[in-house]
Amino acid sequence: MRRAGSRPEPSPISAPQRAAIVGLTALSTLFVLLLWHDFRNTWISPGYERHTLFHLSVYWGLWLVWPLLAWLGWRGGRAVRAWRVAPAFVAGLAFLACAALAWARFVEPQRLVVRETRLGQQCGAQVALISDIHLGKFTRERELNRLVDRLNTLPIDAVLVAGDWTYGPPHDLAAAFAPLARIKYPVFGVLGNHDEQMPGPPLADELREALTALNVKLIEGRRVWLGRCTLIGIGDLYAGIADSQVQHLQLDPPAHAAERRIVLTHNPDVATRMKPGMASLVLAGHTHGGQVYVPVLTQMMLQRNTRGAFEQGLYPLPHTRLYVTPGIGTDILPLRFLVPPTIDVLAL
């Protein structure tokens, strides 16, 4: 019999409780170690340390959705067996929401799809258009190697990269992008806003050097032959490079009336600046196709991201045609939903 005023003896911890404590401690320790390792090795913009820490916390923290799914399934199953309708309904809704989150984080970003589109035959060439690799916080070496392997299986003449190569990448850009050297086709590209510190760390010069060493031909302000067509690179709009290069394009008319010009750029709004005769086709990325598709909400976000609210696919404009690819990687959040990473194979 317990004496008056004495403290109650603590109840013993059960075996399941001990296992849960050990498991949570181990998960927390692993989370901190992974987060610290990534944070130390990430190229961070001055003043964006907290943003980077948040992004990496989400990247690793979303692994907890799997034990949460297991727990919700167990609770929902108990409620169903006990004929408790309301708790079962709530657990079911929570389970579906977590399942959608798990799909958007772990499944859809890995679904690298190939989409074929015929845009004409004047050039006599077939290309793979990709954009927004965003190598760094969310896209890692494994995804880049998988992209290179898939590109090498395609019947194409060249690979075109419409900017945003990076998103808080490792410090050693040459090592990070080394898999690109395995691409067996010519690679032409331009930089995007994240490569030009808009936003992003000041890595444009180092990135150009690293990509050039890997046989990537950056063509901003330049032109190269693509089959029977001229491919012209236009720099990033946010970085203030595009307008002067578009103006130069206007002052430099085609060599002859039959010359077909194709423009490769990052931001699709560049196409709205085209005048008659500048280009017959503009290829761009930047929008990620919305990245996470939610009706109405996605369109509202795209209206803030581009003046034309461009999503993906082909757009006929007054003085040219525009083709927007939904990209490969992710930014802000490591999620894709109903917008898988896409390689656009275009017959030109």
Side-chain angles (χ1 to χ4, degrees):
M1 182 174 179
R2 183 168 58 87
R3 292 180 299 175
S6 63
R7 294 182 178 180
E9 295 182 4
S11 57
I13 300 176
S14 64
Q17 288 175 327
R18 282 197 299 271
I21 292 172
V22 171
L24 287 173
T25 303
L27 283 174
S28 300
T29 303
L30 181 61
F31 171 77
V32 171
L33 291 175
L34 290 170
L35 184 62
W36 177 243
H37 175 269
D38 269 1
F39 186 77
R40 286 179 61 248
N41 289 282
T42 298
W43 197 327
I44 304 172
S45 303
Y48 278 78
E49 291 82 4
R50 285 185 297 177
H51 293 77
T52 300
L53 194 61
F54 168 75
H55 294 149
L56 293 174
S57 297
V58 173
Y59 179 82
W60 291 111
L62 282 174
W63 280 94
L64 293 176
V65 74
W66 296 113
L68 182 58
L69 274 171
W71 181 78
L72 287 170
W74 175 72
R75 289 297 298 266
R78 289 190 60 185
V80 168
R81 288 192 295 271
W83 293 91
R84 295 160 60 193
V85 178
F89 180 73
V90 172
L93 286 180
F95 183 88
L96 289 176
C98 287
L101 182 61
W103 174 274
R105 166 63 179 89
F106 297 102
V107 181
E108 183 124 343
Q110 308 301 319
R111 292 183 61 236
L112 183 60
V113 303
V114 176
R115 178 172 59 182
E116 298 182 4
T117 305
R118 177 168 289 278
L119 297 178
Q121 56 186 6
Q122 293 90 337
C123 297
Q126 185 157 278
V127 302
L129 174 66
I130 61 174
S131 183
D132 302 278
I133 297 173
H134 284 305
L135 185 68
K137 298 174 189 174
F138 302 150
T139 303
R140 305 295 174 100
E141 182 181 1
R142 181 183 64 177
E143 287 85 7
L144 185 59
N145 273 301
R146 190 164 56 101
L147 172 63
V148 170
D149 291 340
R150 191 70 180 94
L151 287 170
N152 282 338
T153 67
L154 301 176
I156 56 177
D157 300 296
V159 177
L160 309 184
V161 186
D164 270 6
W165 302 77
T166 62
Y167 187 57
H171 295 290
D172 190 345
L173 294 176
F177 283 101
L180 296 179
R182 295 194 295 107
I183 298 178
K184 63 182 183 180
Y185 304 109
V187 181
F188 303 102
V190 295
L191 301 191
N193 57 289
H194 280 275
D195 310 318
E196 295 279 7
Q197 207 176 350
M198 299 294 293
L203 48 71
D205 292 339
E206 287 85 349
L207 179 60
R208 291 177 191 276
E209 183 178 344
L211 293 177
T212 301
L214 295 168
N215 297 319
V216 174
K217 299 174 179 63
L218 295 175
I219 59 169
E220 296 167 19
R222 297 169 49 203
R223 59 188 65 203
V224 296
W225 283 105
L226 183 62
R228 296 186 296 270
C229 294
T230 303
L231 178 66
I232 302 171
I234 298 292
D236 183 61
L237 188 65
Y238 289 173
I241 300 171
D243 285 328
S244 62
Q245 292 180 349
V246 168
Q247 185 177 12
H248 182 268
L249 194 62
Q250 183 179 6
L251 298 174
D252 184 19
H256 50 80
E259 181 185 355
R260 179 176 170 86
R261 287 174 159 183
I262 296 175
V263 164
L264 176 66
T265 191
H266 179 61
N267 193 315
D269 280 345
V270 169
T272 65
R273 290 161 159 76
M274 291 291 153
K275 300 294 191 297
M278 281 189 177
S280 56
L281 177 65
V282 176
L283 305 175
H286 182 60
T287 68
H288 296 203
Q291 189 169 306
V292 174
Y293 183 78
V294 179
V296 181
L297 180 60
T298 298
Q299 281 299 317
M300 291 174 60
M301 294 299 294
L302 288 171
Q303 287 173 358
R304 296 180 59 186
N305 199 27
T306 67
R307 183 175 299 177
F310 300 114
E311 187 176 331
Q312 61 174 306
L314 183 63
Y315 296 87
L317 301 179
H319 304 305
T320 189
R321 292 184 302 163
L322 167 68
Y323 193 91
V324 182
T325 184
I328 300 298
T330 58
D331 70 353
I332 301 179
L333 292 174
L335 308 175
R336 275 187 178 264
F337 187 71
L338 302 181
V339 192
T342 301
I343 301 172
D344 275 301
V345 175
L346 307 178
L348 304 177

